[in-house]
Amino acid sequence: MADFCSSCKKQITNLKGTARLSCPGCGKVDFIRCMGCRANAVRYVCHECGFSGPN
Ligand SMILES: [Zn+2]
Ligand SMILES: [Zn+2]
């Protein structure tokens, strides 16, 4: 299964420096962030609870 960055939708399967985290709002959704989005603090939004943020 391919993994995609939650912010920019880039495929990150073979990229290093990506981060996964559970939604701080609801804990049901896993976000994946590529190194570029982490470096630029690109925002993400949870489709379950609406939480958004760079952290
Ligand atoms: Zn990204
Ligand atoms: Zn959530």
Side-chain angles (χ1 to χ4, degrees), residues 7-8 36 46 49 53-54:
S7 297
C8 68
C46 175
C49 69

Side-chain angles (χ1 to χ4, degrees), residues 4-7 18-34 43-53 55:
F4 295 89
C5 174
S6 300
S7 297
T18 56
R20 288 162 189 271
L21 65 154
S22 296
C23 175
C26 66
K28 293 185 207 164
V29 178
D30 283 335
F31 297 116
I32 301 171
R33 305 194 77 210
C34 71
R43 301 192 75 77
Y44 57 85
V45 180
C46 175
H47 61 81
E48 283 283 333
C49 69
F51 180 93
S52 75
N55 296 307

